[in-house]
Amino acid sequence: MPGLDEVSDSKSDGLRTAARHPVPRGEPILEMRALQKKYGAVEALKPATITFLSGEIHAIVGENGAGKSTLIKLLTGVIRRTSGEVFWCGKPVQLDNPQEAIARGINAVHQEVVLCPHLSVAANMFLGDEINNAGLMRKRAMTEAAQSVLDDLGFNLPAAATLGSLTIGQQQLVATARAAMRGTQFLIFDEPTAYLTRQESAQLFRLIRRLQGEGVTIVYISHRMEEVFELADRVSVLRDGTHVGTRKIGETNDAELITLMINRTIEQIYHKEHFPAGETIVETRGLSGPGFQDVSLTVRAGEIVGLYGLIGAGRSEFALGLYGRHASTAGEVYWQGRKVNINSERKAMDLGIALAPESRRDQGLCLNLPIGLNINLPIFKRLTRGLTINRQKEIENADRQIRDLKIKTPSRRVLASAMSGGNQQKIVIGKWLSHGAKLFIFDEPTVGVDVGTKAEIYRLFARLLENGAGIILISSYLPEVYELSDRLHVFRRGRLVASHDYRAASHEEVLTQAIGV
Amino acid sequence: MSAETVDSGTGPAPRKGVSILFGLTLLGLLLFLWLLLGLATNSFWTPNNISNLLRQGAMTAILAVGQTFVIITAGIDLSVGAVVGFTSVIVAWLLAAGVPLWIAIILTLAFGVLIGAFHAFGIVRMGLPPFIITLATLTSLRGIGLLITNGSTISITNEAFTNFSRADFLGVPSLFWMVIVVAIPAYVFLHLSRFGRYLFAVGSNSEAARLSGVNVHRTIYLAYILSSTCAAFVGLLLASRIGIGNATQAEGWELQAIASSVIGGTSLFGAVGSVHGPLLGAFILATINNGANLLNVNSFWQRIITGVLIIVIVYFDQLRRRGAR
């Protein structure tokens, strides 16, 4: 990387030269041969043979539980393989610990940022590899070096700022910059754009192409087909732990990939059914609260009301406000025509509002508790007879949701943390289906969720509408809200700035309103 | 990470799978220690010594159960030892003032409730970390107790009260019966009622629990009140056993309680724990102390052994949790 040489100490310099351009472009750099991973009797990855060529962008696509995470963990040394071989630059390697992977130049940027939020951006970028002078850290030198790398990459980010003060998207860019400056030869991105705005995604793509230009091999894992086609040279498809094929990007198309992934056609994904709008369920008049001002909208039975905007535009804050998580500062809420004061989550639930919140990890799930407990959490009161919980009913309800929603788990006793993103989202949804509601608020329901599960979730929306519920759908992914919403509201800086009927405005129009240029 | 650490039904009740195995391992360890001490000493398996052991373990066991409720919510209660000392003073003082026994007992337990409510108030309303608020009451309750007694002790002359701790029922010391009196409702509460589930949920992710309609504040109040009330109950038992009220008694018992809980498989990060685990933990600690006394091991060594044991048991517990990987 230009701009780095003058600041790196001899140790990291040595590491980088050792790893630089080990094989010519286009030759195999990493080969998996019959690589297999079993957890007990479960085969998470069936023997897979995939070759990664030096300097290519190789996309990997697949549904929930298709084995993508297992693959990343194997290649980064987080878990050990059960059988098979890995060849790095033509030689067999163990890759049984993360240090070895990093020393060889294999790095991963994870979907959820794993850095220290309390340290500065610069400190995070140099974490574990600090510039020091006789054991004392040279803070200013690191900040300057980090700033020059960030500027050089075209990220408009302050190196001295605390990491936690940045948005998740910005933190993701920092994590990428960190990997980029470490002499990485082989960089794996795990759904990097899940939390990014469009501009941030564009910045990330520029960085990825630039790394490729410098000879770095990129593995890009994503659910978003348009990204795969925009970026990748080749694409490998996994299904149920099996590698079902690798294609050159010019020789395939959406339809083929999706068929490979899920045995289903693309028309079946965005599933929009129109229902006659019924009575008004909820109406807000000039509702204001922390993070949003003066929002007036209505939701009627049988319709999806979409809220689109950039991350931080106030949509989630509005949802939390309506749900009673934060007290509103002005405005009124009418529930089925009656003025109500929703001052607690319980109150909202009792009226008939359900919220599947933005962050499954922070707000949606008790990750280190069993799936069953998560599903039943809102309804334990109902399951209680006398002093104790009716265990029979508790088990029945958990198993019913697992079955109905096709949550892929051997048992309701498995911890929620062991589930993939799509299955975790289903647990959150299952929780609210158990409880029942008149108004469902889905905040970013398909972030980190694969195509197959997305389609299932959209079909579920139709089922809810059919039963007379209304839905508020919040998403940063325009095609989703655009295709599904009966009425689409655009948020910008905490305000509702525009409203459109189903497909009444173009994508460009909506985007412009969201960005505000 | 396949993950059957806690659970039966859909809740974290310790019925099936690995949890019961761990419970059995602990029980095995306890029985092994008893067998070993039986072979190594002549005096271990004497009715006198066993009664003594059960009495010794009983009070820590009750404290450990209360402590476990708090730790499951990802909190900590450092004040329990001080509460024991303080409430022993309260009951002695009330009895010395001529208050009828049953009223004195109820009032003493009410003090436990108040102290727990104060802790929860500090955490929920003032935003203090549990470590800090309970550390503060640890020192100040000792101070208040010393003020009341003017630094000395209050003797208890009520014979009905002091005889209780020496009495046996069906050949088992009454103090041990008190463990059962606490443990059964505690088990029902933690593993069978919804409030138990709420403790786990709050300890795992309080925001998710709140958004699912759990009253997080009330749950925290419940946990700290139960812990302090258990401690006040132990204060009564201690006062009965030693026949005095003294604010400096039960020094360091909070650490014994936390150690018992942790040995019993409770995670200090919250959301993992049971009722039977801390009970076994408390009696393992009591057995070690008892055995060391019988074997004439220097009491300084007892402390070292306890420390090593905590490390070994918790280490193996962690290995077991990671085992599935």
Side-chain angles (χ1 to χ4, degrees), chain A residues 323 325 368 389 394 431, chain B residues 10 192 197 204 207 211-212:
Chain A
Y323 191 67
R325 176 66 183 88
N368 56 354
I389 293 170
E394 182 184 26
K431 177 152 93 172
Chain B
T10 68
L192 304 181
R197 302 280 197 275
S204 174
E207 183 65 18
L211 291 177
S212 304

Side-chain angles (χ1 to χ4, degrees), chain A residues 39 78-79 320 323 325 345-346 349 355 357 360-370 372-373 376-378 380-381 384 387-389 391 394-395 398 412-415 417-418 431-432, chain B residues 1-13 15-16 187-188 191-195 197-198 200-214 269-272 324-325:
Chain A
Y39 292 101
V78 177
I79 53 174
L320 286 170
Y323 191 67
R325 176 66 183 88
E345 299 83 2
R346 216 355 116 179
M349 285 169 62
L355 171 69
R360 289 189 287 273
R361 195 176 57 170
D362 298 334
Q363 304 169 305
L365 290 171
C366 295
L367 282 177
N368 56 354
L369 290 176
L373 194 151
N376 286 322
L377 194 52
F380 277 126
K381 199 170 188 175
T384 299
L387 283 176
T388 60
I389 293 170
R391 177 153 284 157
E394 182 184 26
I395 293 170
R412 63 182 175 276
R413 293 192 204 100
V414 172
L415 304 192
S417 57
K431 177 152 93 172
W432 294 115
Chain B
M1 257 197 290
S2 108
E4 303 184 33
T5 40
V6 282
D7 181 314
S8 83
T10 68
R15 279 281 179 77
K16 291 177 196 123
Y187 184 90
V188 172
H191 296 302
L192 304 181
S193 84
R194 67 188 152 110
F195 299 107
R197 302 280 197 275
Y198 293 165
F200 284 98
V202 168
S204 174
N205 185 345
S206 65
E207 183 65 18
R210 176 196 292 268
L211 291 177
S212 304
V214 175
F269 296 109
V272 179
R325 215 44 174 239

Side-chain angles (χ1 to χ4, degrees), chain A residues 184-229:
Chain A
T184 297
Q185 279 307 308
F186 192 93
L187 189 52
I188 304 167
F189 288 91
D190 185 8
E191 305 217 18
T193 55
Y195 296 109
L196 299 194
T197 62
R198 279 178 73 96
Q199 293 127 303
E200 287 166 338
S201 301
Q203 284 184 329
L204 181 71
F205 287 3
R206 275 201 296 279
L207 171 64
I208 289 175
R209 289 213 187 81
R210 177 168 167 172
L211 290 170
Q212 182 197 22
E214 289 168 13
V216 178
T217 311
I218 309 281
V219 175
Y220 190 88
I221 291 167
S222 181
H223 290 306
R224 297 185 179 171
M225 282 298 155
E226 68 276 15
E227 291 181 353
V228 170
F229 282 94

